[in-house]
Amino acid sequence: MAGRTDREDISLLELAEMFPDEEASRKWWESKIWPNGRRCPRCDSNRTHFASHAKCPYRCSDCRAYFSVKTGTLMEASKVPLRKWAFALYLELTSLKGVSSLKLARDIRVTQTTAWFMLHRIRAAFSSDGEPPFEGPIVEFDETYVGGRERNKHASRKLRAGRGTVGKVAVAGARDKATGRVSA
């Protein structure tokens, strides 16, 4: 497993220079979402044009749908500016243990509920649902039992049914040696 020195990180100052305002943020997101030119997220047509819609500045000539750079992404149906989404992604992905909604709310000046919503969307976007769990031929598997000792429990919680795994929850995990991905 590679260490932290093999990554190319950007600093918070570099991020602020990349996203000085909302227009620069929009251009950056568009270059990442549509690297080969703007396409309709609903019908994948390239016959799009600017529209005078307040929230969706583009319109597809084929399916007649209005859309923006947020449509079809984790930012869809969100009133949060693109610049704040970029900073939220940076803070969540560069923090070793993630970032709390309270800290994110303070850092990007949104309410705690908005920060919670953003973090929920970010984490859902990076979940591994839909991907095959293992790719390599070798998979390591291990199990453990989680739960406190009987003697440390309150009298009303003790099971009095024996020792060992009684009253504990089994947790199993598998690790793909080829990719390093862990499923529990």
Side-chain angles (χ1 to χ4, degrees):
M1 191 158 128
R4 295 191 61 136
T5 57
D6 68 331
R7 298 187 309 190
E8 288 186 32
D9 293 338
I10 63 170
S11 70
L12 199 54
L13 281 174
E14 291 170 329
L15 186 74
E17 289 170 0
M18 284 175 63
F19 300 101
D21 57 10
E22 192 63 17
E23 181 65 21
S25 301
R26 184 190 57 78
K27 286 180 182 178
W28 186 86
W29 283 106
E30 286 181 1
S31 72
K32 297 303 176 194
I33 293 172
W34 302 312
N36 300 323
R38 186 175 56 240
R39 300 191 72 83
C40 175
R42 290 182 176 86
C43 69
D44 202 35
S45 171
N46 62 353
R47 295 184 48 206
T48 63
H49 57 274
F50 288 99
S52 59
H53 195 274
K55 295 180 183 174
C56 296
Y58 309 116
R59 186 169 189 260
C60 177
S61 297
D62 291 340
C63 69
R64 298 181 180 179
Y66 290 93
F67 64 94
S68 72
V69 72
K70 291 181 179 182
T71 307
T73 66
L74 68 135
M75 303 173 284
E76 188 169 21
S78 163
K79 294 180 182 179
V80 179
L82 294 169
R83 187 170 188 236
K84 289 188 179 189
W85 274 106
F87 277 89
L89 273 165
Y90 176 84
L91 292 171
E92 174 65 13
L93 296 177
T94 57
S95 176
L96 292 177
K97 296 182 180 179
V99 64
S100 72
S101 60
L102 288 170
K103 176 154 178 37
L104 183 63
R106 284 190 307 267
D107 288 348
I108 65 172
R109 299 276 187 213
V110 294
T111 64
Q112 186 270 331
T113 52
T114 300
W116 183 89
F117 162 78
M118 293 172 75
L119 289 170
H120 181 75
R121 288 274 184 102
I122 291 168
R123 291 170 185 153
F126 283 99
S127 69
S128 61
D129 295 343
E131 296 179 14
F134 307 111
E135 295 176 10
I138 300 175
V139 176
E140 298 172 335
F141 184 81
D142 198 9
E143 79 284 340
T144 187
Y145 293 92
V146 179
R149 292 181 173 175
E150 286 291 310
R151 70 178 181 188
N152 293 335
K153 294 180 182 177
H154 188 271
S156 65
R157 300 263 183 199
K158 289 185 182 181
L159 296 175
R160 294 180 183 81
R163 298 182 299 176
T165 61
V166 173
K168 298 184 193 289
V169 176
V171 177
R175 178 180 174 261
D176 186 2
K177 282 200 76 152
T179 62
R181 192 174 329 155
V182 176
S183 296

